[in-house]
């Protein structure tokens, strides 16, 4: 007798030979162990980015399988990177991947080599926030999704974050908090629909787009009003499995009201009244960052805020990649360095209130806007 049995989504084959059943003479039986199904080999989908770069999406047809991969040509194991989101490839490398599912045999290893030979300093991805229509448009849903709600987000923030198209009060489609306007710029808008109620937006590329290494920058104009807290930052894809801060956080730009100068002015911070922005790094027992400020600097004007990310090193600049004002590496920072442990996704948000800027007051301007001209990624 041969039986095929489906258990937990896996087909196993039992072969049984039974003799002497039921008679007074008794009988004997032999049952073989189940034959495990093999997980399907991962597949890859490639989408063109810019100037020869590719966005790599891995998938597996076996339901609930976990994909592990490497980008250095080595054989992947269960200690390798877990695939969590599409990632940018803009250098010569080899992706190896396999899939696993408890109770089944691991898949075969998939291999894809990339030899794009892209020169240093080449633009390989961007969102220019263009809008050729006559009305406000949704940010690209293939790149951006949203955090929503009013949980305080670990910082005692006061805003309700609203996604595009949300009509759940206090959010409204009549007055979106994140949109691409006809000026070809992204607007993230903090609003006060009623006394003590605030709305805004926190956009993120989590699960949709990520990258590791390169130079990333955003050209922005920041709001300067008590309680406003705009930011351009990154988090490791691994936050889905190991949480913060072990996943790593890279703050390209944070800012609070320019009249609030907790760090003072240039250098040692002895002079009040200077405008400034903040860049920093965060990991397990790893925290660092000092403000950027210089004579005549105004965060309310257009500036480009950027980060150069290479293996073992993070550098921050304002306006020009040669204007590096802060460098972190594996030798000058304490704690666990998480920034060579896989791709990160981007976030753009405008918080209201919270533990750092404090609450809005009678001087706070509503609506207040974080305006973003573009986000761009270049090869190192």
């Amino acid at each position: 007798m041969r039986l095929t049995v489906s258990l937990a989504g896996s087909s196993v084959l039992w072969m049984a030979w039974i003799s002497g059943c039921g008679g007074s003479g008794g009988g004997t039986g032999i049952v073989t162990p189940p034959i495990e199904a093999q997980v399907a080999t991962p597949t890859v989908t490639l989408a063109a980015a810019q100037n020869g770069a590719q966005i790599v999406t891995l998938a597996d047809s076996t339901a609930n399988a976990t994909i592990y991969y490497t980008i250095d040509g080595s054989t992947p194991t269960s200690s390798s990177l877990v695939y969590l989101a599409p990632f940018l490839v803009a250098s010569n490398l080899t992706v190896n991947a396999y899939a696993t599912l408890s109770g089944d045999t691991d898949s075969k290893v998939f291999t894809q080599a990339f030899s794009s030979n892209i020169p240093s300093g080449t633009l390989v991805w961007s969102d220019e926030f263009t809008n050729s229509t006559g009305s406000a448009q949704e940010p690209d849903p293939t790149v951006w999704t949203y955090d929503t709600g009013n949980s305080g987000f670990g910082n005692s923030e006061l805003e309700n974050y609203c996604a595009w198209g949300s009509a759940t009060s206090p959010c409204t489609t009549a007055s979106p908090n994140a949109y691409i306007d006809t000026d070809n710029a992204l607007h993230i808008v903090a609003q006060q629909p009623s006394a003590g109620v605030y709305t805004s937006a926190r956009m993120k590329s989590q699960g949709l787009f990520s990258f590791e290494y390169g130079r990333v920058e955003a050209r922005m104009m920041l709001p300067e009003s008590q309680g406003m807290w705009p930011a351009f930052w990154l988090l490791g894809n691994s936050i889905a499995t190991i949480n913060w801060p072990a996943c790593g956080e890279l703050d390209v730009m944070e800012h609070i009201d320019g009249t609030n100068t907790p760090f003072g002015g240039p250098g040692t911070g002895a002079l009040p009244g200077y405008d400034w922005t903040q860049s920093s790094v965060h990991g397990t027992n790893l925290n660092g960052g000092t403000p950027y400020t210089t004579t005549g600097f105004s965060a309310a004007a257009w500036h480009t805020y950027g980060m150069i990310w290479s293996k073992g090193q993070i550098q921050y600049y304002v306006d020009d990649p040669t204007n590096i004002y802060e460098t972190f590496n594996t030798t000058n920072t304490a704690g666990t360095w998480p920034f060579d442990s896989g791709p990160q996704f981007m976030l753009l948000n405008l918080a209201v209130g919270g533990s750092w800027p404090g609450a809005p007051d009678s001087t706070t301007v509503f609506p207040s806007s974080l305006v973003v001209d573009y986000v761009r990624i270049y090869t190192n």
Side-chain angles (χ1 to χ4, degrees), residues 246-290:
C247 65
E249 175 181 330
L250 295 167
D251 299 316
V252 183
M253 187 288 304
E254 292 184 279
H255 178 65
I256 63 175
D257 177 19
T259 62
N260 186 337
T261 55
F263 300 104
T268 60
L271 301 175
Y274 280 82
D275 207 353
W276 55 277
T277 59
Q278 172 83 37
S279 298
S280 56
V281 296
H282 299 286
T284 302
N285 298 317
L286 185 158
N287 292 284
T290 56

Side-chain angles (χ1 to χ4, degrees), residues 47-141:
Q50 293 174 244
N51 296 312
Q54 301 275 350
I55 299 172
V56 175
T57 300
L58 301 177
D60 199 90
S61 61
T62 300
N64 301 316
T66 299
I67 299 174
Y68 293 93
Y69 73 102
T70 62
I71 60 172
D72 60 1
S74 63
T75 301
T77 69
S78 59
S79 298
S80 300
L81 294 173
V82 177
Y83 175 76
L84 296 166
F87 57 93
L88 181 70
V89 171
S91 60
N92 297 347
L93 55 81
T94 297
V95 175
N96 289 326
Y98 83 102
T100 184
L101 181 67
S102 179
D104 287 356
T105 302
D106 292 346
S107 77
K108 297 178 181 178
V109 175
F110 165 86
T111 298
Q112 176 79 46
F114 296 86
S115 300
S116 48
N117 298 313
I118 302 173
S120 175
T122 301
L123 178 66
V124 288
W125 183 91
S126 72
D127 193 336
E128 304 292 328
F129 302 115
T130 55
N131 179 3
S132 59
T133 73
S135 60
Q137 296 296 304
E138 176 185 9
D140 187 348

Side-chain angles (χ1 to χ4, degrees), residues 161-180:
Y161 277 136
C162 301
W164 171 271
S166 175
T168 302
S169 181
C171 306
T172 172
T173 57
S175 187
N177 294 97
Y179 59 90
I180 302 174

Side-chain angles (χ1 to χ4, degrees), residues 96-344:
N96 289 326
Y98 83 102
T100 184
L101 181 67
S102 179
D104 287 356
T105 302
D106 292 346
S107 77
K108 297 178 181 178
V109 175
F110 165 86
T111 298
Q112 176 79 46
F114 296 86
S115 300
S116 48
N117 298 313
I118 302 173
S120 175
T122 301
L123 178 66
V124 288
W125 183 91
S126 72
D127 193 336
E128 304 292 328
F129 302 115
T130 55
N131 179 3
S132 59
T133 73
S135 60
Q137 296 296 304
E138 176 185 9
D140 187 348
T142 68
V143 175
W144 303 106
T145 184
Y146 303 85
D147 281 323
T148 58
N150 62 340
S151 67
F153 295 89
N155 303 300
S156 302
E157 297 167 23
L158 302 177
E159 77 286 331
N160 294 263
Y161 277 136
C162 301
W164 171 271
S166 175
T168 302
S169 181
C171 306
T172 172
T173 57
S175 187
N177 294 97
Y179 59 90
I180 302 174
D181 209 349
T182 55
D183 59 355
N184 295 310
L186 170 69
H187 293 248
I188 298 179
V189 186
Q191 304 178 46
Q192 185 180 23
S194 60
V197 176
Y198 311 100
T199 62
S200 190
R202 179 155 126 168
M203 296 170 50
K204 60 181 184 177
S205 66
Q206 185 178 18
L208 299 173
F209 174 79
S210 60
F211 72 100
E212 184 177 32
Y213 306 138
R215 177 165 66 87
V216 59
E217 64 180 27
R219 184 171 183 260
M220 296 182 284
M221 188 166 56
L222 312 181
E224 299 215 279
S225 192
Q226 171 56 35
M228 295 296 106
W229 186 359
F232 172 43
W233 51 305
L234 293 85
L235 286 171
N237 285 347
S238 60
I239 196 171
T241 58
I242 65 173
N243 294 322
W244 185 93
C247 65
E249 175 181 330
L250 295 167
D251 299 316
V252 183
M253 187 288 304
E254 292 184 279
H255 178 65
I256 63 175
D257 177 19
T259 62
N260 186 337
T261 55
F263 300 104
T268 60
L271 301 175
Y274 280 82
D275 207 353
W276 55 277
T277 59
Q278 172 83 37
S279 298
S280 56
V281 296
H282 299 286
T284 302
N285 298 317
L286 185 158
N287 292 284
T290 56
Y292 171 85
T293 186
T294 187
T295 302
F297 175 76
S298 171
W302 286 107
H303 290 284
T304 301
Y305 302 93
M307 177 183 75
I308 303 171
W309 180 10
S310 54
K311 187 174 179 63
Q313 182 170 271
I314 301 293
Q315 297 175 299
Y316 292 114
Y317 65 89
V318 175
D319 290 330
D320 190 311
T322 64
N323 183 30
I324 294 169
Y325 75 94
E326 195 161 33
T327 298
F328 302 95
N329 56 51
T330 55
T331 60
N332 71 1
T333 53
T336 302
W337 182 266
F339 307 119
D340 299 316
S341 302
Q344 297 210 341

